[in-house]
Amino acid sequence: MSLYGIMRTGVSGMNAQATRLSTVAENVANVNTTGYKQSSCEFSSLLLSTCPGGYESGSVLTAIRNHVSAQGSLHDTASDTDLAIIGDGFFVVADNNSAPALSRAGSFVADGTGNLTNAGGFTLLGYRLDPELPAITINGYSGLTPVNFEELALSATASTGGSIVANLPSTSAVVDPSVLPSLNANTSSYSAKSSLLTYDNLGGEVKVDFYFAKIAENEWEIAAFDSSGSSVNGFPYSSGPLSTMTLTFDPATGGVAPGSQTELQFVIPNGADFTLDLSGMSQLATDYVVLSADVNGNPPSGADFVEINSDGFVYATYGNGTRVPVYRIPLAHVESPDMLDPAAGNVYRTTTDSGDVQIGFPETGPLGSIRSGALEQSTVDLATELTSMIDAQRSYTANSKVFQTGSELMDVLVNLKR
């Protein structure tokens, strides 16, 4: 047995307990840090080869384990931009150099440029809907942009689609073909009329009049007119219809007949191509009644508030009541979250042991959901940490006594010559 080995082993034990105390100190300091994951110090023995008749003491090795996969409890807040993840997944964020990272810290607020930034100074990334969701890269960060609320302050979107669900009276008389709206823009007969407010490329309001005329049993003509071409809110119009179509109904069910055209397509004046979905129409023996009507697009107006759904969709609600999806927030996933590399700002970066990042949307596959107006609290249990601190202190003291004993024996050995 070597006295040097005794002292070396004692030093190893003190270093190990000092490392353990370091993790305890970090955990205690971050007990109130949003999205912080507790770390712990794990020990393993290092044994040295021995020879017959003697024993060479070894040492202890330490490894830091970050319990990243642990779910923290949720704390409700009054801010809709405070986000928490329930289940697996990480927010994709970026630092000032646009370097991406992963985080569970969802205390986001809009900074001076409108970007949603958390307490660590990292910006939330998402996919911009213009108006459709762009193609995403499953194994990379391509296509992600900062979620910015400033650009939503004044926005106009041209209408591209809508729908009308209504009942056309089966008892209506057949309209004389010579006075159908599609043939006569000056004076016409029709069975029912509705108007929809659409928006051109600059967000200007364009009112479109829709006329329903029964042209035969179970057949209706639908004609769309630009309302601005009429000075008396109806016929006569300065020009012909924007578009017409024939809708055929099944006499047995009153619903749209199979094979019938169900989409009325036209170009909004100074606007985009527009498609009106009429597949929900019916022909029953009752009055004309509109059950629902919907048109996308919005005029130039400020977003009154922003709503973030559990599936990651970010909706902006404008002054006229229009609710428009503007972003979708993805979540990132790795095979071994506990092997991620922690970095300053309560973020994580991928390593060889953690596996490559995979991008997906909340509530799909292994990914959890997003909860708006809540924050994930730290997973640190203060009582457990204080207990670990006391235990580490006692172990450190015991190892120091081993070192001290070895040192005293070394003095005895050195003094034998005197």
Side-chain angles (χ1 to χ4, degrees):
M1 178 181 66
S2 170
L3 293 178
Y4 287 111
I6 294 174
M7 298 171 65
R8 182 183 63 249
T9 301
V11 170
S12 173
M14 287 188 288
N15 284 333
Q17 296 303 324
T19 302
R20 183 184 181 188
L21 282 171
S22 296
T23 61
V24 170
E26 183 178 341
N27 289 336
V28 172
N30 287 279
V31 67
N32 293 318
T33 301
T34 299
Y36 178 80
K37 303 300 182 179
Q38 176 193 13
S39 60
S40 62
C41 183
E42 306 293 338
F43 301 107
S44 61
S45 61
L46 176 62
L47 301 180
L48 301 179
S49 59
T50 59
C51 58
Y55 179 80
E56 190 70 27
S57 61
S59 61
V60 60
L61 300 177
T62 58
I64 304 302
R65 180 185 173 190
N66 300 294
H67 302 268
V68 181
S69 58
Q71 173 74 55
S73 59
L74 301 187
H75 171 67
D76 291 332
T77 70
S79 174
D80 291 334
T81 58
D82 283 339
L83 305 177
I85 300 174
I86 304 175
D88 294 338
F90 299 86
F91 296 113
V92 182
V93 295
D95 59 18
N96 294 332
N97 297 321
S98 300
L102 310 179
S103 179
R104 299 271 295 196
S107 55
F108 296 105
V109 294
D111 62 13
T113 62
N115 292 334
L116 283 188
T117 305
N118 65 14
F122 288 82
T123 300
L124 178 65
L125 301 182
Y127 293 103
R128 185 74 162 94
L129 307 181
D130 288 321
E132 301 295 332
L133 182 68
I136 67 171
T137 304
I138 299 176
N139 61 342
Y141 305 105
S142 176
L144 289 170
T145 61
V147 177
N148 188 288
F149 283 0
E150 186 175 76
E151 62 186 36
L152 307 179
L154 192 63
S155 175
T157 305
S159 298
T160 58
S163 64
I164 294 179
V165 178
N167 179 72
L168 298 175
S170 62
T171 56
S172 293
V174 176
V175 175
D176 185 348
S178 63
V179 290
L180 286 175
S182 60
L183 301 176
N184 195 329
N186 294 317
T187 176
S188 296
S189 295
Y190 52 90
S191 305
K193 174 192 175 184
S194 288
S195 300
L196 288 178
L197 194 63
T198 64
Y199 304 97
D200 62 20
N201 292 328
L202 300 180
E205 295 182 352
V206 179
K207 183 181 177 184
V208 180
D209 297 332
F210 296 93
Y211 292 91
F212 303 89
K214 189 174 184 180
I215 58 177
E217 289 300 323
N218 304 313
E219 289 189 7
W220 291 74
E221 177 191 271
I222 296 93
F225 285 84
D226 179 8
S227 180
S228 64
S230 171
S231 59
V232 292
N233 196 28
F235 293 100
Y237 287 89
S238 59
S239 59
L242 299 172
S243 180
T244 62
M245 64 168 283
T246 299
L247 188 62
T248 305
F249 292 96
D250 185 344
T253 63
V256 176
S260 173
Q261 183 180 354
T262 58
E263 293 184 345
L264 179 63
Q265 298 178 337
F266 55 90
V267 178
I268 296 175
N270 301 318
D273 293 338
F274 186 88
T275 300
L276 181 69
D277 181 12
L278 297 169
S279 60
M281 299 290 288
S282 64
Q283 180 193 246
L284 301 173
T286 186
D287 296 335
Y288 173 71
V289 56
V290 178
L291 301 177
S292 66
D294 179 63
V295 172
N296 62 10
N298 64 274
S301 60
D304 287 350
F305 61 90
V306 176
E307 175 187 350
I308 302 175
N309 283 6
S310 61
D311 57 4
F313 276 105
V314 180
Y315 292 89
T317 301
Y318 294 91
N320 67 336
T322 304
R323 186 169 174 264
V324 180
V326 289
Y327 287 98
R328 192 171 187 187
I329 300 172
L331 294 180
H333 171 72
V334 294
E335 289 298 326
S336 180
D338 290 347
M339 300 305 293
L340 288 168
D341 182 27
N346 205 8
V347 298
Y348 304 94
R349 304 190 188 279
T350 57
T351 65
T352 303
D353 293 329
S354 70
D356 294 331
V357 67
Q358 297 181 11
I359 305 296
F361 292 117
E363 301 180 345
T364 61
L367 298 174
S369 61
I370 294 177
R371 181 172 173 182
S372 176
L375 293 174
E376 183 180 3
Q377 295 181 303
S378 170
T379 59
V380 173
D381 179 25
L382 196 56
T384 300
E385 297 304 319
L386 293 178
T387 301
S388 296
M389 180 177 64
I390 295 172
D391 186 44
Q393 181 184 15
R394 295 176 62 183
S395 297
Y396 189 98
T397 302
N399 279 280
S400 68
K401 295 296 290 184
V402 171
F403 180 87
Q404 184 178 6
T405 301
S407 177
E408 291 173 354
L409 291 177
M410 182 66 70
D411 288 339
V412 171
L413 180 62
V414 171
N415 291 330
L416 287 178
K417 185 179 179 180
R418 298 178 182 176

